[in-house]
Amino acid sequence: MWERNGNQQPNSTVADLESTDRTRIESAYSVYKTVNQNSVTDIKDEGYVSVPVLYKIFISAILLILSLEWIYPVTSSDQQGSERFLSVMAGLTGALLLAGLIRTGWITGVLIRLFIALAALCLMYGGSDPARWAAAYPGIFSADMDTFINNWRFHSISTETRGLFMMCGWSMLMASVQSLVLLRRSVMLFGSATLLYLLLLESFAGLDVYASVIRSVLWTFLIQALLQLLRLNGGVTTPSYRGSPYGRWSAVTIVASAGMVLLSALPGQFASIPQPERISLEQMGERLARWAGYTQHSSIPAATAVTGYSTADAPMGAPLVQGNSIFFIAKSPKVTYWRGETRSYYNGSTWSDPGQSFETASPSGMLRADGWENPTYWSRVRQTVTMQREWKGPNPLFTGGIPVNVSFQDKNKDNQENMFSLLSNRDSATLWLAGSGDDKIVKHYSADVMVPVATPEQLRLLEETNKGKDPAAIRRDYLQLPTSLPGRVQTLAKEIIQGSETRYDAVQAVKTYLAAHAEYTLDTRMPPRGTDFVDDFLFVTRKGYCNHFSTAMIVLLRAEGIPARWVKGFGPGVADPDVPSQYVISQGDAHSWVEVYFPGAGWMPFEATPGFTMAQGAGEGVAALAGPQPVAETPPYTSGGVGYAGAWLLARARAIAAEPWLVAAALLGAAALVRMRRLRPALRIRLLLAWPRSSFPDRERLLRAAAPVWAALARRYGPRPPGMTLREYAASPALAAGADGADIARFAADWERLLYGPDRPLRADSLDFLRRALRLARRLQAL
């Protein structure tokens, strides 16, 4: 029985179907082929509605703006290179969306998008000569694959290759989103994902994304409203106005979407909205641990990073594990700390230096002539550094003091000395290699540096002999403290330093307090969101590594008006027993310490971390631990990345073949996959039979599930001849003579009734149709 629809004609009989035009019956098999390849739902696609190209371009342009909301929040914090990253990603996204409007095969589409991603990569990292950088990149990629195969750490590969993976992933995302918007006519999924992403940035990264959230809602509403016209044109309902429907609809939707967003913002203008409570990963971890049954004395596994050096200024406090990868080898007549960068601005969670400026310097000339002339406090030494990893601009050069001049010993392919561009900052006494497109790598360099030799007695006497105050520029840049710094930190600083007669005594008082009230460890945690890093260290955890101690010392000194700055680089390293005055510096030697300003002498270094000694020139070996910015350890590059990949795969294959149980499990898995593939039509029908929804049955789902039966019949009995209807094919001698002839004939009749009948099938008839299809699928697949 078939359920009657109230406004339909009586049910057609078999004779009526046989008397219809052969063209209509012929179209049944074409529908079957469409069902077998895609789905019945796809038959009712937009092919019947012609959409203007300009309308699609307009929708894609707004989709481009919505996509940029994923990128803009993380590039709007005045970081170096953020403008270039934003412009390249905007161009990449626009090119991908434009390519998505062109109808091509899937292979051609993939190749076009890959080419666009590679072009964007060259523009991102190629500097002033992208073509030359593109020619050199295959070598970098081969070395990265070699490194990754060695240690299986994604962060060990170069920034360029990570950027390539990111752009390829972004290309796939944009292709999927554009297909969802233009073909399925829905942007709500991508819009919701955008809002969730922005809220996560606000909750976990502390970024201000309020404006981005408002804009994202506007773009999502606008795109969905524009897509609604396509839905109306594709259905039985059409717009009520005539003439230029797309232009008029676009104007109306822009006004309506903007009005909705503005209306939703009105409540915030009349009532104050409290700040949302920050999410604390530590609190979440503790709650999860209690729920899982951990006691208060149990340790919760945390994601840790390997100690090392990075120029990035990330929030401090993450747990670390000791690294041992060699960074560089140095020769120095005195034991020194190796300065890389200094930071002056503390925001409560990390250090930065937005006002730091560099000027171009010549390696052959003097880099500075101030702050080191007095031999009472400084001594000149010559140091040589040999990098053990690829090192090129933009990156700092490590020196053991204030650099006076620097020279390079590297030769190019013509056996001529490489000329590197240098950037010098006299205020911070640091040197940087300038970024360039020539891809020059520094291996060896020498530097004359001034190292401090002032004694405690000399520093104490400075305030008596030099009554001058700190320069205005020093006070402006190196007394900064965040306005959110808790008052108890300033109160503690006053208690510690009160009674100190000299600046040197105040520094020693802070150092003594930290050593007595805090514990050194790499097993730390990030402070809760909204909590000051120093306040959390001094009053809550009271444990940490060099970042914690050095930052706390600077904040306590600044709170009492003593200029101080944060320095990161490397400790002295390990003395080479075979080569005098040579030191091996590894990732584990990465370190941070404090420099305090003394009028008349300049910036003097001080060690804040307990157990470490600032022994400048004393000939003592100091093992500095716990890097300032955790990064993945990177082993030295080796050649032959592609060849090594083949050898590695062969070794893995031999290791697997040596384990019989692994081979047996692989064979069983392959057999199971083959069997599942053969039984897939029957499994699909079984799942549909167990479908509990009240809306069951519907024509599309029934036809889609039973469509593979026709393919199985064609494989068993041969394809349907041209001009033969499905009913005639089912009644042919080859099929009718078989044991399943009756089921096949009934199946064909029910199929045509489902496809052409005006009535809705009853649940009992649909279940009978599916059971018959299941029997046929089982028997035909088993043969």
Side-chain angles (χ1 to χ4, degrees):
M1 293 294 293
W2 300 85
E3 182 180 359
R4 292 284 300 275
N5 290 335
N7 57 349
Q8 299 289 348
Q9 299 296 327
N11 189 25
S12 300
T13 62
V14 174
D16 294 331
L17 289 173
E18 293 290 349
S19 63
T20 56
D21 187 78
R22 178 174 294 274
T23 304
R24 186 181 181 191
I25 300 298
E26 192 68 29
S27 64
Y29 192 71
S30 66
V31 172
Y32 146 69
K33 291 194 295 181
T34 305
V35 171
N36 194 33
Q37 296 176 0
N38 302 294
S39 67
V40 176
T41 305
D42 294 335
I43 299 173
K44 302 177 181 179
D45 205 356
E46 68 170 357
Y48 302 104
V49 181
S50 178
V51 182
V53 176
L54 289 178
Y55 197 69
K56 289 184 176 181
I57 293 177
F58 182 46
I59 294 176
S60 299
I62 304 176
L63 182 61
L64 166 64
I65 301 175
L66 177 61
S67 303
L68 293 181
E69 297 296 347
W70 288 64
I71 303 171
Y72 177 75
V74 298
T75 59
S76 58
S77 56
D78 298 329
Q79 294 183 359
Q80 185 179 3
S82 61
E83 296 83 0
R84 184 181 185 88
F85 177 77
L86 179 61
S87 60
V88 171
M89 290 302 297
L92 170 65
T93 308
L96 292 172
L97 293 176
L98 185 62
L101 296 175
I102 304 174
R103 291 185 175 273
T104 59
W106 73 271
I107 296 180
T108 305
V110 169
L111 293 178
I112 291 176
R113 289 175 174 85
L114 180 60
F115 174 79
I116 294 173
L118 290 173
L121 186 73
C122 295
L123 293 175
M124 180 79 75
Y125 299 104
S128 59
D129 193 357
R132 185 174 180 181
W133 183 90
Y137 178 68
I140 300 176
F141 183 81
S142 176
D144 286 338
M145 294 302 99
D146 184 16
T147 303
F148 181 74
I149 291 173
N150 273 290
N151 58 17
W152 287 101
R153 290 176 178 171
F154 181 74
H155 286 284
S156 64
I157 63 179
S158 66
T159 304
E160 293 86 348
T161 301
R162 277 182 276 171
L164 174 62
F165 291 154
M166 183 271 293
M167 290 181 179
C168 290
W170 184 254
S171 302
M172 292 187 290
L173 175 64
M174 287 297 100
S176 302
V177 170
Q178 189 177 31
S179 175
L180 182 70
V181 170
L182 295 181
L183 298 182
R184 299 300 182 186
R185 297 167 184 168
S186 175
V187 74
M188 299 309 296
L189 179 61
F190 182 63
S192 302
T194 302
L195 294 176
L196 178 61
Y197 165 76
L198 293 174
L199 292 177
L200 290 177
L201 285 183
E202 194 276 337
S203 300
F204 293 101
L207 300 179
D208 184 9
V209 297
Y210 179 76
S212 295
V213 170
I214 296 298
R215 291 193 302 265
S216 299
V217 172
L218 173 61
W219 307 137
T220 302
F221 282 168
L222 183 56
I223 295 175
Q224 191 62 42
L226 293 173
L227 294 174
Q228 188 63 24
L229 179 60
L230 304 182
R231 291 176 176 269
L232 294 174
N233 285 343
V236 296
T237 306
T238 57
S240 58
Y241 51 78
R242 298 179 180 178
S244 302
Y246 291 99
R248 297 179 63 183
W249 185 274
S250 300
V252 171
T253 53
I254 290 174
V255 174
S257 300
M260 292 177 63
V261 173
L262 292 176
L263 183 63
S264 64
L266 287 179
Q269 303 297 324
F270 300 100
S272 61
I273 302 176
Q275 292 291 333
E277 181 181 355
R278 299 286 185 174
I279 297 177
S280 169
L281 295 179
E282 178 69 16
Q283 294 175 358
M284 292 174 60
E286 292 175 356
R287 293 175 184 176
L288 181 62
R290 288 195 298 268
W291 177 83
Y294 285 96
T295 65
Q296 61 179 353
H297 302 291
S298 300
S299 60
I300 304 174
T304 56
V306 180
T307 58
Y309 189 89
S310 172
T311 58
D313 297 316
M316 298 178 292
L320 301 176
V321 294
Q322 191 71 13
N324 56 9
S325 176
I326 298 177
F327 206 95
F328 62 90
I329 297 175
K331 288 186 176 181
S332 175
K334 295 185 178 182
V335 178
T336 63
Y337 278 33
W338 299 93
R339 302 172 80 254
E341 301 171 79
T342 68
R343 294 289 182 262
S344 63
Y345 187 84
Y346 171 67
N347 64 2
S349 63
T350 188
W351 286 96
S352 63
D353 210 334
Q356 193 169 190
S357 60
F358 289 84
E359 58 184 14
T360 304
S362 173
S364 59
M366 299 292 287
L367 298 175
R368 60 183 298 137
D370 59 318
W372 53 268
E373 302 91 340
N374 193 338
T376 305
Y377 309 110
W378 301 91
S379 174
R380 183 167 178 166
V381 299
R382 185 169 184 82
Q383 299 174 327
T384 302
V385 174
T386 302
M387 301 301 299
Q388 298 299 301
R389 59 183 55 220
E390 184 179 280
W391 201 249
K392 57 185 178 181
N395 266 313
L397 290 179
F398 300 99
T399 59
I402 298 177
V404 178
N405 58 36
V406 64
S407 60
F408 299 94
Q409 290 81 41
D410 298 317
K411 305 286 185 179
N412 58 21
K413 60 182 180 180
D414 298 326
N415 201 29
Q416 298 176 348
E417 289 189 5
N418 280 332
M419 297 301 296
F420 296 94
S421 298
L422 282 180
L423 298 176
S424 173
N425 187 306
R426 293 193 176 187
D427 177 59
S428 62
T430 55
L431 289 177
W432 274 67
L433 288 169
S436 62
D438 51 15
D439 203 31
K440 294 180 181 178
I441 299 174
V442 171
K443 283 292 186 181
H444 311 276
Y445 64 90
S446 298
D448 286 344
V449 298
M450 304 302 296
V451 296
V453 292
T455 63
E457 291 74 14
Q458 290 174 328
L459 295 179
R460 288 191 178 98
L461 291 175
L462 275 173
E463 293 191 19
E464 298 181 5
T465 58
N466 192 334
K467 300 297 183 179
K469 295 182 179 179
D470 299 313
I474 296 294
R475 295 197 305 270
R476 181 187 65 246
D477 296 335
Y478 299 105
L479 291 178
Q480 173 271 336
L481 288 174
T483 56
S484 59
L485 184 70
R488 60 180 179 177
V489 176
Q490 297 177 335
T491 302
L492 177 62
K494 186 175 183 180
E495 294 175 357
I496 296 174
I497 297 178
Q498 67 179 355
S500 299
E501 297 181 356
T502 64
R503 181 166 294 187
Y504 178 84
D505 294 332
V507 174
Q508 293 300 319
V510 173
K511 179 178 179 179
T512 302
Y513 176 86
L514 293 176
H517 294 83
E519 174 189 357
Y520 178 86
T521 179
L522 298 180
D523 186 13
T524 59
R525 62 156 175 82
M526 296 290 290
R529 291 296 305 169
T531 302
D532 186 85
F533 175 73
V534 171
D535 180 78
D536 184 69
F537 168 65
L538 292 175
F539 297 98
V540 181
T541 63
R542 293 186 174 89
K543 63 180 182 179
Y545 42 88
C546 60
N547 279 356
H548 299 74
F549 288 92
S550 58
T551 303
M553 175 181 279
I554 295 172
V555 170
L556 293 172
L557 291 174
R558 288 185 175 186
E560 286 299 295
I562 300 176
R565 65 186 181 189
W566 191 70
V567 189
K568 63 178 180 177
F570 290 89
V574 179
D576 190 336
D578 300 326
V579 182
S581 301
Q582 179 166 292
Y583 302 89
V584 178
I585 293 88
S586 68
Q587 288 277 39
D589 295 311
H591 195 52
S592 64
W593 60 96
V594 179
E595 287 185 348
V596 180
Y597 186 78
F598 286 82
W603 291 98
M604 292 293 163
F606 289 89
E607 179 58 74
T609 309
F612 299 83
T613 303
M614 182 68 69
Q616 299 280 20
E620 302 178 14
V622 183
L625 308 175
Q629 299 295 334
V631 296
E633 174 188 345
T634 306
Y637 289 106
T638 55
S639 59
V642 177
Y644 185 80
W648 181 87
L649 292 175
L650 180 60
R652 289 295 186 274
R654 290 175 177 174
I656 294 175
E659 299 290 342
W661 67 272
L662 288 177
V663 177
L667 293 176
L668 288 176
L673 289 176
V674 173
R675 185 63 178 171
M676 289 287 290
R677 182 177 179 84
R678 290 179 59 85
L679 296 179
R680 185 171 55 184
L683 292 176
R684 187 179 301 169
I685 297 173
R686 273 191 170 278
L687 291 175
L688 192 56
L689 282 170
W691 191 256
R693 291 177 53 177
S694 59
S695 61
F696 179 90
D698 61 77
R699 298 172 186 269
E700 294 179 353
R701 190 175 288 110
L702 292 172
L703 292 174
R704 183 167 60 247
V709 174
W710 293 113
L713 288 173
R715 288 194 300 268
R716 172 73 189 283
Y717 298 103
R720 179 179 66 88
M724 180 180 290
T725 65
L726 295 176
R727 184 75 62 84
E728 293 171 348
Y729 178 64
S732 61
L735 277 72
D740 302 318
D743 278 340
I744 295 173
R746 181 64 183 275
F747 175 76
D750 290 344
W751 176 277
E752 291 183 345
R753 187 175 301 177
L754 277 172
L755 192 60
Y756 297 107
D759 301 325
R760 178 185 179 186
L762 294 175
R763 183 178 180 88
D765 297 319
S766 300
L767 292 175
D768 183 62
F769 172 74
L770 287 176
R771 292 190 183 101
R772 185 173 293 106
L774 179 61
R775 287 197 299 271
L776 291 174
R778 280 178 168 178
R779 294 170 184 172
L780 294 172
Q781 291 290 342
L783 296 175

